[in-house]
Amino acid sequence: MTGPSDSPVRLHVVTGKGGTGKTTIAAAMALALAARGQRVLLAEVEGRQGLAQVLDVAPLGTEERTLVTDPSGGEVVGLSVDAKTALLEYLQKFYKLGRAGSILEKVGAVDFATTIAPGVRDVLLIGRVYEAVGRVTKGARKRPVFDSVVLDAPPTGRIGRFLNVNSEVSDVAKVGPVRNQADSITRLLQSPATAVHLVTLLEEMPVQETLDAIDELGTLSLRVGSVIANGVRQPLLADEDAAAVADQDPRVHESLEAALTAVGIKTGPALVAGLLQEGVDHVERARLQAEQHAILQALDIPVHALPHLSDGVESGELGLLADVLAEQEGL
Amino acid sequence: MATPQTPVLDLDTILGDRERRIVVCCGSGGVGKTTTAAALAVRAAEQGRRVVVLTIDPARRLAQSLGLEELDNTPRPVTGLDTSAGGSLDAMMLDMKRTFDEVVEAHATPDKAAQILANPFYIAVSSSFAGTQEYMAMEKLGQLRGLMADGSRDWDLIIVDTPPSRSALDFLDAPKRLGSFLDGRFIRLLTAPAKVGGRASLKVFSAGVSLAGGVMTKLLGGDFLRDVQTFVAAMDTMFGGFRQRADQTYALLSRPETAFVVVAAPERDAMREAGFFIERLASDRMPLAGVLVNRVHIAGAKQMGAGRAEDAAAQLEEMGGHDLAAALLRVHAEVAETAARHRGVITRFRTSHPGVPLGTVPAHAVDIHDLAGLREIGEALTGR
Ligand SMILES: Nc1ncnc2c1ncn2[C@@H]1O[C@H](COP(=O)(O)OP(=O)(O)OP(=O)(O)O)[C@@H](O)[C@H]1O
Ligand SMILES: Nc1ncnc2c1ncn2[C@@H]1O[C@H](COP(=O)(O)OP(=O)(O)OP(=O)(O)O)[C@@H](O)[C@H]1O
Ligand SMILES: [Mg+2]
Ligand SMILES: [Mg+2]
């Protein structure tokens, strides 16, 4: 277990193929960091309230709110970043726009900038996160307000574009403060203070998407902190047994019947055949999972495996995932 | 436990109905829309229909097995099918940027088209606007339907996959969002304030617009607004066409020749999403074929419950010498538990959506990436 300042990483960006567990893992990661005594900001940017559901708290707002306090003194603060609010805050801060902001809103300029102008929206969203990472306490001894920030980011299909604010903006804004802001954001994202974590299942498609994302992030000079293999199932059969089951060795059939009889279960052909078929499927899934795991381990990136929770995340087993993450090096 | 009000979804009847011309597979992300679309297409073709399937971002190996090596936005014949019933299958992958470019080329003079295609703002909108993919899927569907109607292709059934959006509703809503952007008040005011609005509002708005324009120029630099203005000016004549086409395709979706298959996973969230989508279809009077719950775990040894298997496994472990059998029983306990959970989710859905035809597709142990796998999925779709 490490203290608040052991890792240089301040911003954890959690992405992955849709539905692989990004939101769940982002929440678990924030809990793991808070358990080390850190003050953590946990943010979502798509307004889906996924984090609130996973943590079972009231919907997150556009204002930061403490969600969880840890006995260690750590704490998780939640935020749902909203492009419109971010734009108005930004205009207020830099231009003291006041009432003009509402005129902008009335003529549809705010809508235009936040939902339509490509790229601008992403700069606003990630700009808000950037601000939180850099925010320091008031007073003489300035220290960061948040020890780390965990971002439940868009899926791998969009992550390159999302994080590549610079080029997105350079298409539309060649000079001006938005451009300058984009440059500062890019500096943070490319520095050792940022780590992108790729969540995947040990299945072919998500693993392929993970590999593609690693390539893409590499070309953008973004650092992949880890690959998180989520929903990993424990193989239940020993290797030599697995081989015998997969080969449909007749001895498996015999020993199963004998065993069932020994514990007083009335066997029939349907029961035995059913159990054997389930065994074959299980072995096949386990083999596929091991294959995909091996592909990831051949990469030069730490791979963390998180177990499949058979009762689902709602059952309060999120802490279990947080515990596993807390033990990982380099987080 | 099927109650009498919950009909079984029989897709063979839908595919066999020659009046059906369009089947749309929709659902939330990752539930199996693309797989279902491909499986339906293979099945319909082997039953004698002349099918074209529009897929969106299929997994690489699935694409290969359909002969889709390149993304060229054109339907290509799929080989390796049983065509003895007189059917055929063409498959294509959507290229959204290409589709958008084609629309521009079709609606503008060559000069103007070239100007639009080179505009930085157009490039950004056509390749990254949230919703462009949905809009272009809709556009492509309209085009395919047109080719079928005017007899340039002899298809009699179009099967459409929908983009991987977080919400199934995006497929229906995104085209309108893009349409309202192209029609948007602000964007029009920026370019031609004099054309819009009454005299009274004009004053307020033009003041607001010049302020907004000023702020945006300050924030983004002058090029941005200039690009937008050039873009809007160049697209001006096409706006009506765009919206009209989107409206036409939308209307197509509510005709009885269309059938929506809502794909879902046997998880709470996905089923809830499916429920929202069904309500939406009903309120827009769009024809629902039914809900297909995909990747449902089914126990092989239905006779034995999870608890009994756990107990027996524990007993065997204690006795020793029966490791393999004990492990198989643990496997069964896991499978039986998942199967029970899936059954529960499905039963709850049936209770709250009586009358909605529902089908299930078993989870395969491995990914579906060849024709054999698609045929197997197809078997499960018949509701028998
Ligand atoms: N380790 C796990 N064991 C069991 N279920 C899990 C696990 N991780 C996530 N899930 C479940 O998988 C589903 C998807 O998880 P989650 O919402 O975190 O994914 P996501 O990647 O954020 O999805 P989206 O792309 O829709 O944002 C949820 O129902 C969640 O409860
Ligand atoms: N019944 C099934 N059994 C096993 N695997 C399945 C089944 N149906 C689909 N799959 C697998 O699940 C994965 C996701 O399926 P698919 O790509 O069809 O989903 P999708 O809804 O189109 O996803 P997206 O929203 O990303 O477009 C694929 O790897 C596919 O092979
Ligand atoms: Mg999520
Ligand atoms: Mg798909």
Side-chain angles (χ1 to χ4, degrees):
Chain A
M1 181 102 339
T2 50
S5 56
D6 270 17
S7 160
V9 179
R10 304 273 322 289
L11 172 60
H12 298 276
V13 178
V14 182
T15 180
K17 180 171 159 50
T20 52
K22 295 178 291 296
T23 303
T24 306
I25 301 301
M29 192 179 283
L31 290 176
L33 292 167
R36 293 179 186 172
Q38 294 197 8
R39 184 152 198 268
V40 186
L41 179 70
L42 174 60
E44 69 172 10
V45 288
E46 296 187 304
R48 294 175 55 187
Q49 295 299 341
L51 292 169
Q53 259 181 35
V54 171
L55 289 169
D56 201 14
V57 297
L60 306 188
T62 53
E63 304 249 328
E64 292 160 10
R65 182 181 95 229
T66 301
L67 306 177
V68 179
T69 47
D70 190 87
S72 65
E75 127 181 68
V76 177
V77 175
L79 171 70
S80 170
V81 183
D82 167 65
K84 201 180 254 188
T85 314
L87 175 62
L88 292 174
E89 279 171 6
Y90 182 82
L91 292 174
Q92 186 55 33
K93 186 162 160 195
F94 292 101
Y95 296 92
K96 307 273 176 291
L97 271 187
R99 228 177 51 80
S102 74
I103 296 181
L104 288 182
E105 175 123 43
K106 212 180 256 157
V107 296
V110 171
D111 263 346
F112 175 78
T114 55
T115 62
I116 284 151
V120 173
R121 181 187 170 76
D122 289 346
V123 180
L124 288 167
L125 295 175
I126 201 150
R128 177 66 179 78
V129 172
Y130 167 81
E131 180 275 326
V133 174
R135 197 187 312 156
V136 289
T137 52
K138 297 203 175 73
R141 281 196 50 224
K142 300 213 179 310
R143 49 178 304 273
V145 171
F146 295 107
D147 299 304
S148 41
V149 175
V150 178
L151 177 62
D152 178 14
T156 28
R158 289 205 301 276
I159 193 67
R161 213 178 275 142
F162 181 73
L163 296 178
N164 192 13
V165 279
N166 224 342
S167 97
E168 267 204 80
V169 166
S170 70
D171 282 345
V172 291
K174 294 187 177 66
V175 292
V178 167
R179 182 56 206 260
N180 296 340
Q181 163 110 358
D183 288 340
S184 325
I185 295 173
T186 303
R187 269 195 299 280
L188 167 68
L189 294 178
Q190 293 180 344
S191 78
T194 301
V196 180
H197 304 279
L198 291 161
V199 181
T200 183
L201 301 175
L202 292 178
E203 292 172 14
E204 205 175 313
M205 269 227 298
V207 166
Q208 184 57 49
E209 227 178 282
T210 303
L211 301 181
D212 294 346
I214 291 173
D215 284 347
E216 188 186 8
L217 294 170
T219 61
L220 301 175
S221 309
L222 298 167
R223 208 172 58 82
V224 176
S226 70
V227 172
I228 298 175
N230 187 28
V232 176
R233 286 161 198 272
Q234 186 67 35
L236 295 170
L237 288 146
D239 288 349
E240 62 279 11
D241 289 348
V245 168
D247 295 344
Q248 317 215 352
D249 188 330
R251 275 169 298 181
V252 175
H253 195 293
E254 285 158 29
S255 70
L256 179 60
E257 263 186 338
L260 291 174
T261 314
V263 291
I265 294 176
K266 224 177 99 220
T267 66
L271 176 65
V272 174
L275 291 174
L276 289 174
Q277 185 54 49
E278 288 172 5
V280 171
D281 286 351
H282 178 85
V283 170
E284 192 156 4
R285 283 198 174 97
R287 194 180 46 72
L288 204 76
Q289 182 175 284
E291 218 174 84
Q292 299 300 322
H293 200 189
I295 293 177
L296 295 177
Q297 280 174 323
L299 299 167
D300 197 16
I301 294 170
V303 179
H304 308 312
L306 295 187
H308 172 77
L309 304 174
S310 54
D311 292 334
V313 174
E314 299 92 37
S315 61
E317 288 190 277
L318 185 64
L320 211 139
L321 299 181
D323 291 347
V324 179
L325 279 175
E327 283 158 22
Q328 310 297 334
E329 293 287 316
L331 188 68
Chain B
M1 194 187 58
T3 54
Q5 307 101 293
T6 33
V8 172
L9 175 63
D10 178 3
L11 284 162
D12 266 357
T13 307
I14 304 251
L15 298 180
D17 173 2
R18 299 269 157 181
E19 302 299 311
R20 295 281 186 176
R21 293 308 175 94
I22 298 174
V23 174
V24 185
C25 299
C26 46
S28 40
V31 291
K33 297 178 290 294
T34 306
T35 308
T36 304
L40 282 172
V42 167
R43 188 165 182 87
E46 295 195 328
Q47 290 179 349
R49 302 231 26 196
R50 293 184 306 279
V51 185
V52 57
V53 61
L54 170 61
T55 64
I56 295 162
D57 289 342
R60 204 162 299 173
R61 280 169 68 187
L62 176 67
Q64 282 165 0
S65 72
L66 292 174
L68 294 170
E69 304 292 337
E70 49 188 331
L71 182 92
D72 63 356
N73 224 19
T74 326
R76 306 254 173 222
V78 177
T79 54
L81 294 184
D82 171 6
T83 53
S84 55
S88 63
L89 174 59
D90 290 339
M92 68 169 291
M93 271 192 270
L94 178 75
D95 178 342
M96 87 172 166
K97 172 103 175 65
R98 187 74 224 126
T99 305
F100 211 145
D101 291 355
E102 283 165 7
V103 175
V104 170
E105 283 159 355
H107 283 77
T109 60
D111 278 4
K112 216 169 195 181
Q115 196 191 346
I116 296 174
L117 297 188
N119 183 291
F121 190 71
Y122 168 78
I123 294 171
V125 168
S126 62
S127 49
S128 80
F129 177 74
T132 304
Q133 208 175 27
E134 282 83 358
Y135 186 51
M136 290 305 132
M138 202 72 107
E139 168 66 31
K140 201 65 191 178
L141 168 61
Q143 288 176 10
L144 294 175
R145 185 68 183 86
L147 292 173
M148 182 159 102
D150 68 17
S152 21
R153 302 294 295 255
D154 74 341
W155 300 313
D156 65 11
L157 180 63
I158 304 170
I159 296 186
V160 234
D161 176 21
T162 51
S165 28
R166 68 179 161 105
S167 155
L169 292 174
D170 280 355
F171 179 66
L172 297 177
D173 292 336
K176 285 209 175 111
R177 275 206 299 275
L178 186 62
S180 72
F181 151 57
L182 293 172
D183 268 348
R185 189 171 56 182
F186 179 64
I187 208 168
R188 320 229 60 195
L189 282 166
L190 271 183
T191 41
K195 279 201 294 199
V196 211
R199 233 167 246 133
S201 66
L202 188 64
K203 243 192 190 154
V204 181
F205 280 124
S206 57
V209 166
S210 58
L211 171 79
V215 171
M216 288 177 81
T217 304
K218 224 185 316 174
L219 288 177
L220 297 160
D223 286 355
F224 176 70
L225 281 190
R226 228 175 359 263
D227 286 345
V228 175
Q229 282 166 346
T230 326
F231 169 75
V232 177
M235 297 274 278
D236 203 37
T237 50
M238 294 169 50
F239 280 151
F242 262 117
R243 210 170 358 98
Q244 205 183 348
R245 289 168 70 84
D247 289 348
Q248 273 169 7
T249 310
Y250 200 81
L252 198 64
L253 295 178
S254 51
R255 296 218 301 245
E257 67 168 63
T258 303
F260 280 87
V261 175
V262 179
V263 186
E267 302 291 341
R268 213 182 46 173
D269 295 353
M271 297 301 283
R272 195 186 302 125
E273 187 77 32
F276 290 156
F277 194 72
I278 290 169
E279 282 161 30
R280 171 61 185 276
L281 289 178
S283 74
D284 281 16
R285 298 179 189 285
M286 289 183 170
L288 170 71
V291 174
L292 197 64
V293 189
N294 188 26
R295 303 189 88 163
V296 177
H297 284 252
I298 295 166
K302 295 194 178 64
Q303 303 82 343
M304 193 191 288
R308 182 76 187 93
E310 290 279 3
D311 291 347
Q315 240 179 308
L316 288 169
E317 279 155 9
E318 206 161 297
M319 286 161 66
H322 290 293
D323 288 357
L324 173 53
L328 284 173
L329 287 165
R330 296 256 179 233
V331 169
H332 175 65
E334 209 176 81
V335 175
E337 210 166 290
T338 310
R341 190 158 48 81
H342 288 179
R343 266 201 314 277
V345 170
I346 293 169
T347 306
R348 262 201 301 286
F349 185 86
R350 282 192 161 125
T351 311
S352 50
H353 299 84
V356 172
L358 186 142
T360 57
V361 177
H364 287 229
V366 293
D367 278 357
I368 313 296
H369 51 248
D370 55 12
L371 290 178
L374 290 175
R375 284 194 188 102
E376 248 181 85
I377 298 272
E379 291 284 318
L381 298 175
T382 66
R384 258 160 255 142

